[in-house]
Amino acid sequence: MNNNMKKVSALMALSMALGGGAAYAATLDNTQPVHQTSVSADSNAASVVNVSVNGASISDGYWNKDGKVAMIPLRDLTDALGIELEWNKETKTAELTRGALWTQVITGKDQYSVNKMSLTLGTAPEITGGKLYVPVSFAEKALHGQVNTTGNQVTISSEEDVKTVTERGVITRISNQDKYQSIQIGGAGTDGIVLNLSDETKFISVEGKEIALTDLAIGMNVEAEHSLITTRSLPPQTPTYTVTVLDAATASESQPKELLGTAGTIENVTTAEGGISQIEITGTRLTETAPDHVVLNIAKDTMIVNHEGETVKAEELTKGTKVIGFYSPMLTRSLPPIGTAWKVVVETPAAELEAK
């Protein structure tokens, strides 16, 4: 027994000699050995990220734990860019607002909300030294700034002249809920584009008079000036600066006070006296009270147009054509219900769909 104890003691002594005592310590307190690395002054300086916004320096940032992503102070960034930041201490959430841009940042979550759309950047925001830091890519992807990283220097600039694009389309959806106001044009569902609105968005009639969002209705043909930058969602979303109604006053007067809409494909076409008298649409309702399957009478005053507002011949209303039908709520109780079309927007002719 004495010999065995001597052997065990010798083995333990040898183990401690080879491992610097780490293995033995781990056995005693059930913790992993701690490896300490000395950090020189030069390596400390290398970990600092110098940040400047529009030519002016702000508080320094740092490289994250992997040493690959530059983290920059969010409050300093937004102040330099003229973006309003509201901090919620309880949820550790920051809300950023500037014109039509709205962004939400949640501490510890790589899930950034940009105009109600989710964006991931590969790195979550984190609080260090009492400040909230975000990856430098946030300045580019969420705030649309120009970012340049050279060594430990990050320069961020915002474009003074906002690049915009103008396009036309028929309104298919209007969302007027608090600050999340938007309209969708150019299609329904995943088609078209969502125009995010703000207090700075201007609404103008075709006569040049200022109007309000409440003056808009589905079925109206509008021209929108919006940012060149859009989300990658379906449909894409974009900040919008001006919305101009293209429908003349006479068209607005003939529009029913309440309008329903159905977007889909023409299933059947009925002709009478050499002309199209009726179309049957199956698809998606644009309003809660609208049917997703409806038969619409084509009257003499029914407008048939494309999204540009250009008149389309009734002969293009063929089976298989993608259309959006707008009509009054006065429908028969039959299945499918029957009504009279106020406007029919031809999205994609059947021939083009077959070609695809």
Side-chain angles (χ1 to χ4, degrees):
M1 290 293 294
N2 291 337
N3 289 335
N4 290 336
M5 290 296 294
K6 290 180 180 180
K7 290 180 180 179
V8 171
S9 299
L11 287 173
M12 290 179 64
L14 179 61
S15 175
M16 291 181 67
L18 293 176
Y24 186 53
T27 304
L28 290 177
D29 59 14
N30 198 31
T31 59
Q32 295 298 319
V34 178
H35 301 281
Q36 295 182 345
T37 305
S38 60
V39 181
S40 64
D42 291 338
S43 62
N44 265 335
S47 66
V48 173
V49 176
N50 303 121
V51 187
S52 64
V53 180
N54 291 334
S57 296
I58 64 173
S59 299
D60 292 334
Y62 59 89
W63 294 100
N64 71 344
K65 60 182 179 181
D66 296 327
K68 297 179 180 179
V69 178
M71 304 295 290
I72 59 178
L74 181 61
R75 172 74 72 172
D76 293 48
L77 173 65
T78 56
D79 286 348
L81 293 176
I83 298 174
E84 182 181 348
L85 186 151
E86 184 177 344
W87 173 251
N88 187 317
K89 185 177 181 180
E90 294 182 359
T91 61
K92 295 183 179 180
T93 300
E95 287 192 13
L96 282 55
T97 307
R98 183 181 62 186
L101 175 69
W102 180 85
T103 306
Q104 185 183 60
V105 177
I106 304 175
T107 304
K109 287 190 177 182
D110 180 20
Q111 186 175 341
Y112 305 83
S113 297
V114 181
N115 289 340
K116 299 179 292 181
M117 296 304 301
S118 179
L119 173 70
T120 57
L121 300 175
T123 304
E126 54 192 30
I127 295 177
T128 302
K131 282 188 175 183
L132 180 61
Y133 289 77
V134 293
V136 68
S137 56
F138 177 82
E140 177 185 4
K141 303 296 184 182
L143 304 183
H144 313 316
Q146 294 182 338
V147 178
N148 182 42
T149 303
T150 304
N152 288 338
Q153 181 66 45
V154 171
T155 57
I156 301 170
S157 60
S158 57
E159 296 181 359
E160 293 183 2
D161 297 326
V162 180
K163 294 182 179 179
T164 63
V165 63
T166 301
E167 64 180 293
R168 296 182 176 186
V170 174
I171 299 176
T172 58
R173 183 178 63 83
I174 299 176
S175 177
N176 190 11
Q177 299 178 353
D178 300 326
K179 59 184 176 182
Y180 307 124
Q181 297 175 336
S182 66
I183 62 175
Q184 183 171 348
I185 67 171
T190 57
D191 296 329
I193 187 169
V194 173
L195 307 174
N196 290 317
L197 312 173
S198 72
D199 294 337
E200 298 179 6
T201 304
K202 294 182 179 179
F203 302 95
I204 305 172
S205 69
V206 70
E207 293 82 13
K209 298 179 180 179
E210 285 195 16
I211 57 177
L213 174 60
T214 52
D215 294 319
L216 303 185
I218 63 170
M220 284 184 173
N221 188 263
V222 299
E223 181 177 85
E225 180 188 4
H226 61 78
S227 171
L228 187 64
I229 299 174
T230 61
T231 63
R232 295 183 180 180
S233 57
L234 288 176
Q237 299 188 27
T238 183
T240 305
Y241 309 106
T242 306
V243 177
T244 303
V245 177
L246 301 178
D247 292 336
T250 53
S252 299
E253 291 173 0
S254 65
Q255 179 177 339
K257 292 182 179 180
E258 183 181 353
L259 203 62
L260 306 183
T262 302
T265 305
I266 296 179
E267 298 293 336
N268 291 295
V269 177
T270 303
T271 58
E273 299 179 357
I276 296 175
S277 62
Q278 205 175 65
I279 59 173
E280 182 179 349
I281 305 174
T282 301
T284 305
R285 68 189 70 185
L286 302 184
T287 53
E288 292 183 2
T289 56
D292 51 21
H293 185 192
V294 65
V295 174
L296 297 178
N297 295 318
I298 306 299
K300 291 182 179 181
D301 57 352
T302 298
M303 290 180 285
I304 305 174
V305 298
N306 58 21
H307 277 291
E308 295 292 317
E310 301 168 335
T311 301
V312 174
K313 294 182 179 179
E315 288 74 15
E316 292 195 27
L317 300 178
T318 58
K319 184 177 180 179
T321 298
K322 285 187 66 176
V323 297
I324 304 176
F326 297 96
Y327 47 92
S328 76
M330 296 182 62
L331 302 171
T332 64
R333 295 183 179 181
S334 58
L335 291 176
I338 303 172
T340 299
W342 170 70
K343 177 186 285 187
V344 177
V345 180
V346 177
E347 293 197 279
T348 310
E352 292 185 19
L353 286 173
E354 291 175 0
K356 291 180 181 180

